[in-house]
Amino acid sequence: MERFVIVMPVGTSAYLLPCDDGDTCKLETLQNLVGGPIEVVDSCLAGNWSRESDVEAVKLVVNEEGKLRDLQENENAATLYAYDFMDTLVGPAALVAVRGEDLIGFAKPVAESICAEWEIPLEATGTGECFQTFNPD
Protein backbone atom coordinates (compact mmCIF):
# COMPACT_ATOMS: atom_id res chain seq x y z
CA MET A 1 0.00 0.00 0.00
CA GLU A 2 1.28 3.45 -0.86
CA ARG A 3 1.49 5.72 2.19
CA PHE A 4 1.66 9.48 2.57
CA VAL A 5 2.71 11.95 5.24
CA ILE A 6 0.69 15.15 5.55
CA VAL A 7 3.10 18.07 5.10
CA MET A 8 1.94 21.40 6.49
CA PRO A 9 4.11 24.32 5.35
CA VAL A 10 3.59 27.70 7.02
CA GLY A 11 0.97 29.94 5.44
CA THR A 12 -0.09 27.69 2.58
CA SER A 13 -2.06 24.54 1.86
CA ALA A 14 -0.92 21.17 3.13
CA TYR A 15 0.08 18.45 0.68
CA LEU A 16 0.53 14.70 0.70
CA LEU A 17 4.08 13.41 0.27
CA PRO A 18 4.63 9.75 -0.66
CA CYS A 19 6.81 7.86 1.82
CA ASP A 20 10.34 6.94 0.72
CA ASP A 21 10.50 3.27 1.60
CA GLY A 22 6.96 1.98 1.29
CA ASP A 23 5.66 2.75 4.77
CA THR A 24 8.26 5.16 6.20
CA CYS A 25 10.14 8.34 5.39
CA LYS A 26 13.90 8.54 5.75
CA LEU A 27 15.33 10.81 8.45
CA GLU A 28 16.88 12.98 5.73
CA THR A 29 13.47 13.46 4.10
CA LEU A 30 11.87 14.54 7.37
CA GLN A 31 14.79 16.90 8.09
CA ASN A 32 14.40 18.47 4.65
CA LEU A 33 10.65 18.89 5.19
CA VAL A 34 11.08 20.81 8.46
CA GLY A 35 14.34 22.54 7.54
CA GLY A 36 16.60 21.09 10.22
CA PRO A 37 16.79 18.59 13.07
CA ILE A 38 13.47 16.96 13.84
CA GLU A 39 11.46 16.75 17.01
CA VAL A 40 8.46 14.43 17.30
CA VAL A 41 5.66 15.96 19.39
CA ASP A 42 2.21 14.80 20.46
CA SER A 43 -0.80 15.50 18.31
CA CYS A 44 -4.34 15.56 19.62
CA LEU A 45 -5.22 12.59 17.38
CA ALA A 46 -5.38 9.06 18.76
CA GLY A 47 -3.84 6.17 16.86
CA ASN A 48 -7.24 4.99 15.63
CA TRP A 49 -7.36 8.00 13.27
CA SER A 50 -5.00 5.95 11.08
CA ARG A 51 -7.72 3.28 10.66
CA GLU A 52 -5.07 0.61 11.41
CA SER A 53 -5.03 -1.55 14.52
CA ASP A 54 -1.22 -1.64 14.87
CA VAL A 55 -0.74 2.15 14.93
CA GLU A 56 -0.13 3.39 18.47
CA ALA A 57 -0.28 7.16 17.96
CA VAL A 58 -0.39 10.04 15.50
CA LYS A 59 2.44 12.55 15.94
CA LEU A 60 3.71 15.79 14.47
CA VAL A 61 7.27 16.15 13.20
CA VAL A 62 8.61 19.71 13.62
CA ASN A 63 11.92 21.56 13.53
CA GLU A 64 13.60 21.06 16.91
CA GLU A 65 15.26 24.49 16.64
CA GLY A 66 12.21 26.28 15.22
CA LYS A 67 11.67 28.67 18.13
CA LEU A 68 15.38 29.40 18.49
CA ARG A 69 15.48 30.27 14.78
CA ASP A 70 12.36 32.44 15.16
CA LEU A 71 10.36 30.53 12.55
CA GLN A 72 6.81 31.64 11.77
CA GLU A 73 3.84 30.15 13.60
CA ASN A 74 2.17 27.24 11.82
CA GLU A 75 -1.58 27.62 12.41
CA ASN A 76 -2.53 24.37 10.64
CA ALA A 77 -0.09 22.30 12.68
CA ALA A 78 -1.08 24.10 15.88
CA THR A 79 -4.67 22.97 15.30
CA LEU A 80 -3.47 19.37 15.66
CA TYR A 81 -0.98 19.97 18.48
CA ALA A 82 -1.94 18.31 21.77
CA TYR A 83 -0.73 21.27 23.83
CA ASP A 84 -1.89 24.18 21.65
CA PHE A 85 -3.57 25.74 24.70
CA MET A 86 -0.13 26.12 26.35
CA ASP A 87 2.25 26.52 23.43
CA THR A 88 2.41 26.94 19.68
CA LEU A 89 4.23 25.24 16.82
CA VAL A 90 6.48 27.07 14.41
CA GLY A 91 7.90 26.23 11.00
CA PRO A 92 6.82 23.48 8.64
CA ALA A 93 5.39 20.29 10.16
CA ALA A 94 4.47 16.79 9.04
CA LEU A 95 1.75 14.55 10.46
CA VAL A 96 2.75 10.88 10.75
CA ALA A 97 1.55 7.68 12.39
CA VAL A 98 3.65 5.72 14.90
CA ARG A 99 3.98 1.95 14.65
CA GLY A 100 6.53 0.56 17.08
CA GLU A 101 9.64 2.68 16.61
CA ASP A 102 8.73 3.65 13.05
CA LEU A 103 7.14 6.84 11.79
CA ILE A 104 4.89 5.77 8.94
CA GLY A 105 2.53 7.45 6.52
CA PHE A 106 -1.21 7.11 6.08
CA ALA A 107 -3.25 5.54 3.30
CA LYS A 108 -4.25 8.35 0.93
CA PRO A 109 -7.99 8.29 1.79
CA VAL A 110 -7.14 8.45 5.50
CA ALA A 111 -4.80 11.42 5.01
CA GLU A 112 -7.46 13.21 2.98
CA SER A 113 -10.14 12.54 5.61
CA ILE A 114 -7.92 13.85 8.43
CA CYS A 115 -7.38 17.09 6.51
CA ALA A 116 -11.10 17.40 5.76
CA GLU A 117 -12.21 16.66 9.33
CA TRP A 118 -9.74 19.13 10.86
CA GLU A 119 -10.27 21.75 8.13
CA ILE A 120 -6.66 21.70 7.00
CA PRO A 121 -6.60 23.07 3.43
CA LEU A 122 -5.16 20.37 1.18
CA GLU A 123 -3.48 21.12 -2.13
CA ALA A 124 -5.30 19.55 -5.06
CA THR A 125 -3.81 16.20 -6.00
CA GLY A 126 -3.52 14.72 -9.45
CA THR A 127 -2.26 16.31 -12.62
CA GLY A 128 -3.08 19.85 -11.57
CA GLU A 129 -5.84 22.21 -12.39
CA CYS A 130 -6.84 22.82 -15.98
CA PHE A 131 -8.54 25.95 -17.20
CA GLN A 132 -10.18 26.59 -20.52
CA THR A 133 -10.05 30.14 -21.74
CA PHE A 134 -12.47 31.81 -24.07
CA ASN A 135 -11.44 34.43 -26.57
CA PRO A 136 -14.44 36.16 -28.16
CA ASP A 137 -12.39 37.41 -31.15
Side-chain angles (χ1 to χ4, degrees):
M1 164 185 12
E2 188 173 24
R3 293 181 181 273
F4 298 84
V5 296
I6 302 171
V7 180
M8 294 172 278
V10 174
T12 187
S13 297
Y15 62 92
L16 304 183
L17 180 73
C19 291
D20 296 319
D21 299 322
D23 289 352
T24 64
C25 280
K26 296 177 185 172
L27 175 61
E28 296 81 20
T29 300
L30 295 172
Q31 289 172 329
N32 286 334
L33 287 175
V34 301
I38 68 167
E39 179 178 1
V40 180
V41 299
D42 293 334
S43 80
C44 62
L45 304 179
N48 62 358
W49 275 87
S50 72
R51 314 291 193 273
E52 296 182 46
S53 61
D54 60 346
V55 168
E56 297 145 25
V58 176
K59 302 278 189 170
L60 287 156
V61 177
V62 298
N63 186 316
E64 183 178 38
E65 300 171 342
K67 290 181 184 168
L68 294 173
R69 294 177 45 206
D70 202 26
L71 298 180
Q72 287 183 301
E73 182 179 351
N74 188 327
E75 292 179 18
N76 287 333
T79 300
L80 298 171
Y81 185 38
Y83 304 105
D84 70 327
F85 59 93
M86 296 179 0
D87 199 5
T88 189
L89 293 181
V90 298
L95 191 69
V96 299
V98 177
R99 181 172 59 199
E101 294 184 8
D102 295 326
L103 301 177
I104 65 171
F106 303 96
K108 189 173 185 177
V110 171
E112 290 170 338
S113 71
I114 290 171
C115 290
E117 181 72 26
W118 288 88
E119 299 178 359
I120 307 271
L122 187 60
E123 184 179 277
T125 56
T127 59
E129 297 180 35
C130 299
F131 298 95
Q132 182 176 2
T133 58
F134 174 73
N135 185 349
D137 295 328

